[in-house]
Amino acid sequence: MSVWHGWSIRTRLTVVSSVVMALLCTIATVFILLAVHGGATDYREEQLVSDAVRIVQQVRRKGIPTSIPDPGDVSAQLYNPVGTQVAATPDVKGMPPLGDFGTPDIDNYAIRHLCDMPSFPGDCKIVLAFPIDLANGVWWLYASTAQVPWYVSAPLLSTLVGGSLLLVLLTALGAYRTVGRTLEPVDAITDKLAKITGSDLSQRVPVPHFQDELRRLAETANQTLDRAESAVDQQRRFASDASHDLRSPLTAMRAEVEEALLHPGETDWEETGKALLESLERLQDLVTDLLQIARLDAGAPGQLEPIDLAEMVACELDRRQRGVTVTRRLAPGVVINGDRLRLTRLLTNLLDNAERHAESNVAVIVERQGDSAVLEVVDDGGGITPDQREIVFQRFARLDAARSRDAGGTGLGLPIARQIAESHGGSLTLEDSAKGARFVLRVPVAGSATDSTTDSAAG
């Protein structure tokens, strides 16, 4: 079995097809031999009867002979009515009767296949008992000839065996070449995949021309490579952006420390400490966001529980220090299944973004629409043009100067919020508003038909 597992597909299929052809040829050979053997046996029995009839005719025309000429492959004995041998071919002259037929039918001849007779020990013969009705009684002519061997004849057996071997050989060669040609696309795909490295995912495997399983395999492999390349590119951009954003507060901190060390007597150490603390806070926020992104990307499961969305929003709004006026319209009884910590983080990110860009007011709305719980956070700032609404959900995305007064953002708050929404089987979009930006969260309410996917999505 281990040897079989070590063989290639081409070799295994060639062996299987050859074995199947060998079995078919063996079955065909057996049937042919059986059919030909039966026909040859019938023909030999007819020949034996014909030779006996010829001898009987000679007896009737010429009288009782003293001997029977050797007719070739046939042995013959002539017995008178009292059972005395009168004539015989030289090979059985003086021997017992060729066959014991008991009380034969005097009106018809009888044929038997007998083996190991006294006259032919170790051989099998076709034996004929032929009655001859003469004036003085019924005489008996016994004649025998060799049985047809199981293989009929050596030339026939050689032809069948040779033809079978030729068919098996042709089948093996045909299967080997056919499977080889069939697997050529697989070899090409394998060679191309072996050349593709993690640093160069731009190459694609060749796609066969025929609409078959191999074409679907190649297309699936290319789709997988597309996703892998996209993921790697995203990770590279993420690493580049993260390193840039991490470097900014570190650079600011280094500059503050170096300047203070150059002029220690003139340095306002309290102001320097505050500046360093701000940079550390920004660095801490960025690291926290990066860890949150990593957990979401890894699909870390959340702790699901029934949550009254209005109650959670009210609790968060009550504890926040407000830089702008926050108006609320919260419909009670909108319950969802979710992770409280993650949903709180989503709300905090939306509120932080809204307060940074609002002129004076932020509105928070919770309501139920059909099977969906809806949370809206709307600011009265400058808003975002429709062509840039998806850009804000990209990691480390930066818009134009109209919203560049975001001095404390990490560029990860909104992407994290959308990822949390999607992990709960919902969506987070930026929709039309009379003024400012309007972020809308939709999550299935507890017990709804769409809520059946929440557990798996949150995990």
Side-chain angles (χ1 to χ4, degrees), residues 48-72:
L48 182 60
V49 172
S50 176
D51 291 338
V53 169
R54 188 171 58 252
I55 295 174
V56 170
Q57 289 175 347
Q58 290 178 356
V59 170
R60 292 184 183 277
R61 288 198 309 267
K62 298 180 181 180
I64 304 302
T66 57
S67 65
I68 300 175
D70 189 355

Side-chain angles (χ1 to χ4, degrees), residues 30-42 148 151-153 156 160:
V30 170
F31 276 108
I32 291 173
L33 288 177
L34 289 175
V36 175
H37 185 274
T41 299
D42 292 341
V148 180
Y151 55 86
V152 183
S153 67
L156 175 62
L160 292 175

Side-chain angles (χ1 to χ4, degrees), residues 54-377:
R54 188 171 58 252
I55 295 174
V56 170
Q57 289 175 347
Q58 290 178 356
V59 170
R60 292 184 183 277
R61 288 198 309 267
K62 298 180 181 180
I64 304 302
T66 57
S67 65
I68 300 175
D70 189 355
D73 294 335
V74 176
S75 302
Q77 296 173 326
L78 182 62
Y79 285 84
N80 60 22
V82 297
T84 303
Q85 188 181 102
V86 176
T89 54
D91 57 337
V92 292
K93 189 173 183 178
M95 302 294 292
L98 291 174
D100 182 9
F101 285 80
T103 305
D105 184 0
I106 62 174
D107 295 326
N108 198 5
Y109 65 84
I111 294 179
R112 292 183 180 178
H113 293 251
L114 304 174
C115 295
D116 203 20
M117 297 178 295
S119 301
F120 303 101
D123 291 336
C124 291
K125 298 286 186 177
I126 302 174
V127 183
L128 168 68
F130 199 101
I132 307 173
D133 188 10
L134 298 179
N136 58 347
V138 178
W139 293 57
W140 286 95
L141 174 67
Y142 294 96
S144 69
T145 187
Q147 284 189 351
V148 180
W150 64 269
Y151 55 86
V152 183
S153 67
L156 175 62
L157 182 62
S158 300
T159 300
L160 292 175
V161 172
S164 298
L165 292 176
L166 180 61
L167 283 175
V168 171
L169 178 61
L170 291 176
T171 300
L173 292 176
Y176 192 82
R177 292 192 61 184
T178 301
V179 175
R181 288 187 175 183
T182 303
L183 293 179
E184 282 179 358
V186 177
D187 294 335
I189 293 173
T190 302
D191 293 340
K192 179 59 70 174
L193 288 175
K195 296 176 182 178
I196 297 175
T197 62
S199 59
D200 181 15
L201 293 173
S202 61
Q203 302 186 62
R204 296 294 180 267
V205 300
V207 179
H209 299 292
F210 299 106
Q211 297 289 341
D212 54 14
E213 293 81 357
L214 295 180
R215 183 183 180 91
R216 292 198 295 272
L217 171 64
E219 291 174 345
T220 303
N222 284 335
Q223 292 170 2
T224 302
L225 289 172
D226 289 340
R227 291 193 295 270
E229 184 179 21
S230 176
V232 170
D233 289 343
Q234 183 179 2
Q235 291 297 327
R236 287 173 178 168
R237 291 193 300 270
F238 178 78
S240 176
D241 293 340
S243 63
H244 177 271
D245 278 58
L246 287 170
R247 192 182 301 116
S248 296
L250 290 175
T251 301
M253 293 168 63
R254 182 183 180 90
E256 291 285 346
V257 172
E258 287 179 346
E259 184 176 356
L261 293 176
L262 285 175
H263 309 284
E266 302 175 4
T267 300
D268 186 340
W269 289 101
E270 183 176 354
E271 291 297 326
T272 300
K274 291 180 180 179
L276 292 176
L277 186 58
E278 290 179 0
S279 296
L280 284 173
E281 288 177 351
R282 176 172 172 77
L283 185 62
Q284 184 179 14
D285 291 342
L286 183 58
V287 171
T288 301
D289 285 346
L290 289 174
L291 291 175
Q292 181 66 38
I293 284 284
R295 282 193 292 268
L296 291 172
D297 286 343
Q303 298 294 327
L304 298 182
E305 59 178 304
I307 298 174
D308 187 311
L309 192 58
E311 180 183 328
M312 184 197 76
V313 172
C315 181
E316 180 63 21
L317 291 178
D318 290 341
R319 74 172 188 82
R320 285 178 65 89
Q321 294 181 355
R322 305 174 186 177
V324 295
T325 300
V326 178
T327 59
R328 64 181 79 178
R329 189 171 77 244
L330 310 178
V334 181
V335 180
I336 63 175
N337 287 322
D339 184 299
R340 184 176 295 274
L341 290 178
R342 290 185 180 180
L343 290 173
T344 302
R345 178 65 182 276
L346 181 154
L347 176 62
T348 301
N349 289 357
L350 293 181
L351 291 173
D352 288 345
N353 179 78
E355 290 178 4
R356 281 196 298 269
H357 299 94
E359 291 183 0
S360 60
N361 183 75
V362 173
V364 181
I365 303 169
V366 172
E367 61 183 356
R368 175 169 179 166
Q369 296 178 1
D371 288 338
S372 296
V374 178
L375 166 65
E376 296 185 18
V377 178

